[in-house]
Amino acid sequence: QVQLVESGGGLVQAGGSLRLSCAASGNIFSINNMNWYRQAPGKQREWVATITSGGSTDYADSVKGRFTISRDNPKRPMFLQMNSLKPEDTAVYYCNAELSTSTTFQYHYWGQGTQVTVSS
């Protein structure tokens, strides 16, 4: 059984920072890519950032230069450092991992999300 758990969300003022964490647990054989998505009220889920098993990163244009995705290694938590936050960043942030288990190969797993609220 695989579980992804996000943490670190909260309420901050515009210009502030938050660091989100995503912990993966269960009988995981390997992790390929890990991703952050977000969904604002009334809007579709939006891709935010990706980090590969080799450490390559990619970002949505809306967060590039402000957010940084990182991971200690594939077996440890993945992070999203968010700086210079804007009210437009307000959303539920979801961790997503492409990982393999005993019965799946690079299947996408999702966390339940953590709320980020940025006030002006």
Side-chain angles (χ1 to χ4, degrees), residues 32-37 46-60 63 67-71 78-80 94 96-98 108:
N32 186 20
N33 296 339
M34 298 191 75
N35 313 278
W36 286 100
Y37 288 78
E46 173 190 21
W47 169 75
V48 174
T50 294
I51 186 165
T52 70
S53 59
S56 298
T57 60
D58 198 11
Y59 301 90
V63 306
F67 291 10
T68 302
I69 188 171
S70 63
R71 64 196 296 181
M78 184 264 290
F79 306 99
L80 184 68
Y94 296 91
N96 168 271
E98 302 169 18
H108 280 260

Side-chain angles (χ1 to χ4, degrees), residues 3 9 13 33 35 42 44 50 56 83 86 101 113-114:
Q3 185 176 18
Q13 295 184 2
N33 296 339
N35 313 278
Q44 296 182 0
T50 294
S56 298
N83 299 325
K86 305 175 181 179
T101 69
T114 184

